[in-house]
Amino acid sequence: MSHPNLLTSTREPLDIELKVKEGTIPEDLSGFVFINSGAGTVNSGGLPYERKLPNGEFNQEFGSPVINGDGYMYRFDFTDSGKVKLKTRLLKTPCFYADIASSPILNPNNPYAEIAFKNRGLARMSMKLGTRNQINTAITPFRKPGDKQSRLLATFDAGRPFEFDPKSLDLITPIGENKFWRAGTPPFLNNPFPMVLTTAHPVYDPETKEVFSVNFTKTTRNLLSATEIFHLIFSSEEEIERRLEERISRWEEIEDKEQVVKEVNDFFYEEAAEKEPKSIWDKLRQWYWNLIGRHFSNEDAVYLVRWTGEKNPKSFKIVNENGSNIQIQHNMHQIGFTRDYVLMADTNFKFTLDVMLNNPFPNNARIDSFLRELLDGAQNDYSTLYIVHRRDLVPEAEEVKAHKVVLPVETVHFSANYENPGGVVTLHAAHNCSACPAEWVRYYDECKLHNRPIDPQRVGMLAVGEMDIGKIGKIVIDVKNRDNLEDKTVFLHLEGRPGEKDPGPHTWGVGLYTYRDMLSPDKNVGEIKHVFWQAYGLDDQLLTDFIYRLYQDPKRNRIYSAEQMLEFTKKGAPFVLETVETDSMKVTDHYSFPQDCFMWSLQFIPSNSLNNDIPESLNGYILCTVIGKEENIPKTSSYFSEIWIFDASNLHKGPVVKLDHDELQFAFTIHSVWVEEASDVSLPDYKIDIKQDYDEQIRHIKRRWLRKKVQSLMKDHVYPHFR
């Protein structure tokens, strides 16, 4: 069904059969495709985030990034020849039910409204309850030792993974008790729903039956450090907003940014110190702040997590080869593995406190814009990889040393050949050069090219207007001899022909990718032969003035200057799906999407028929989620949500089938996986007792009144859903 907003998503449970809009469903499709996505909050009822609430008040969630939303899982079933069936469900974590119960929008007079969650940037947070674990990003298939059934994890960068049932899509259990995971927020907060900084891409080795993840902590050196602003922002927003407005005019006139940062920092610190203590705990906290104040935070530390189905995983502290702690600059969105190594990356995706909490006054464009200017910085123009030898991960080890490798380009996603002959590791990587997936389009942003307000339809979309050309990388590292093999490493970048309807293959905005048996729970890929890449093109409405200024520095490691990027962006380029043959690192096939089409997720589906005429790595199909603008509808904007399926060996022919349904509406889908089976699974012996798990958290809340209130909320509104 067409819808008037580009970013439209339903949260309704669907059990439907998709309809053929064009083409024919191939008869040799098989298995199931799962796709994860964010679909708004408990208040919004889906997407878009409307500007006004039904009562006419400004909606605090308006302008939130589309990736800040509850996990909404899609399961496409190809087991019935000639049909594609779709099942969808929200992923309802314990904090999901706490969110509903405390919402003043859903329940204006509820007794928990003062501790409700709110969108604060990339995160949805409550000072009293903690951070929502939205498990809306990716899926990891696995089998526990002895399993005949395939199991699935739903994952998130800021929360522990949850296993869910492949058939019902109901949650089964979190992995590891709360007390196992180290919180990413300062220790004094003691929230029942802690923010856990981990990876959205834990990995599973089918040969060893091991799941690997990470858990890291960071010192908070940002302007809005937790010790100075959390309490203020959450407890007295109107007062702080008024005082900020009084000072901003003077701050805007100061040319020395460091001086402005100091004054704003002092403002929040002094406001905190002036608060009248209400209890012994408040007095102790104020004394503690006055004593060590802005120096108080977590340590910089990285822990590698290994899990094989125990109640709690095993963690190893990972340190540099000189024994020092590892400092993560951005986050650890992606990890990988080979036969002998675990690969952990400091990836260029700022999913940490600086952007999680940089939208505290969404209804005040002036304050929000001012704080964003001070808070945000450009991402590094390089990435760091930490390589651990798996033989060092013995049960008695507490610390394990990692070999550090610096990659000369920004990296968010990568995969590795499973085989590493002679200690040589080969990575296949996406390089988002001077493009920032952690930034999103704000309603007050201006289009850099046109000096006018940005297209309202794109508010909330990732502001990834590129400030340099992206690259597709094949990176070869001789771990054993501590050598980066530059002669075998390739960073492929292609301009294509910007401005043309079909510009040919290009690497403007390299995004997601897929290949045969990627994330398979049954087999590893010894050598990846063909990779199917998404490039999202050049869109003048995603290159905001803010992003331009953030990444215009000529000193960055770049191919094209900021001025050249303006010229390329002015010409424009569409989304492209393209095949890279990894031996030659050349594009062998591609498809250019029509104008005003957005291709978000892509997933390889193997054919269930042998074909000796083509390589096995091309014998299948590529499923894509596509949003596009309806043609031939005058005087109005109308958009569709569709599923397009391509022959993996013949992309340029276009989709072999387009599928839709009146109830199918998605705004932004993310990572996906194909599995052969999706039957209901047995109850695992590592299932966590939710009541016991969170009662332990609540016990550490210092203030008696808050502890009683949270306990009441959990007892009446959360625990009944997890018996």
Side-chain angles (χ1 to χ4, degrees), residues 36 73 91-97 131-136 138-142 151-156 158-166 169-178 181 192-194 196 198-200 202 211 213 307 684 686-690 693-694 718 721-722:
N36 209 344
M73 186 66 65
L91 301 178
K92 300 177 180 180
T93 55
C95 57
F96 170 87
Y97 291 106
T131 307
R132 285 293 318 278
N133 181 3
Q134 297 169 320
I135 53 172
N136 66 10
I139 310 116
T140 299
F142 72 103
R151 297 175 178 272
L152 296 172
L153 298 176
T155 62
F156 191 50
R160 57 183 173 168
F162 271 72
E163 182 180 349
F164 67 96
D165 188 274
L169 305 185
D170 293 334
L171 295 188
I172 297 174
T173 181
I175 304 304
E177 296 171 314
N178 275 311
W181 297 93
F193 299 110
V196 175
T198 180
T199 178
V211 173
S213 187
W307 182 63
Y686 49 79
K687 184 176 185 294
I688 301 295
D689 183 319
I690 293 296
D693 192 37
Y694 284 97
V718 177
H721 297 282
F722 294 92

Side-chain angles (χ1 to χ4, degrees), residues 20-68:
V20 174
K21 181 179 179 181
E22 292 181 17
T24 304
I25 298 173
E27 294 183 357
D28 55 336
L29 290 169
S30 62
F32 298 81
V33 169
F34 289 83
I35 300 179
N36 209 344
S37 70
T41 69
V42 300
N43 299 323
S44 70
L47 293 171
Y49 290 114
E50 301 289 354
R51 181 182 287 268
K52 298 286 186 180
L53 296 172
N55 63 6
E57 294 180 1
F58 184 89
N59 180 10
Q60 187 269 341
E61 296 176 353
F62 174 69
S64 296
V66 292
I67 59 174
N68 184 350

Side-chain angles (χ1 to χ4, degrees), residues 125 184-186 195 220 222 226 230 351-358:
M125 307 175 75
T185 43
M195 178 191 294
T220 307
N222 231 289
F230 270 166
F351 201 85
T352 42
L353 284 175
D354 51 348
V355 287
M356 285 181 179
L357 185 62
N358 76 350

Side-chain angles (χ1 to χ4, degrees), residues 199 201-203 212-214 302 304 318 332-347 384-390 393 402-403 405 407 412 414-420 423-428 475 477 479:
T199 178
H201 295 280
V203 292
F212 291 104
S213 187
V214 292
V302 172
L304 175 62
I318 307 301
M332 303 187 77
H333 180 73
Q334 179 81 65
I335 66 172
F337 69 101
T338 70
R339 182 177 293 279
D340 296 324
Y341 304 101
V342 177
L343 316 169
M344 299 169 291
D346 186 349
T347 51
T384 307
L385 190 69
Y386 297 93
I387 304 177
V388 172
H389 205 301
R390 293 172 68 171
L393 302 176
H403 170 49
V405 177
L407 307 180
V412 172
F414 66 88
S415 290
N417 291 348
Y418 185 66
E419 299 301 342
N420 50 254
V424 175
V425 167
T426 302
L427 305 181
H428 303 275
I475 303 164
I477 303 166
V479 183

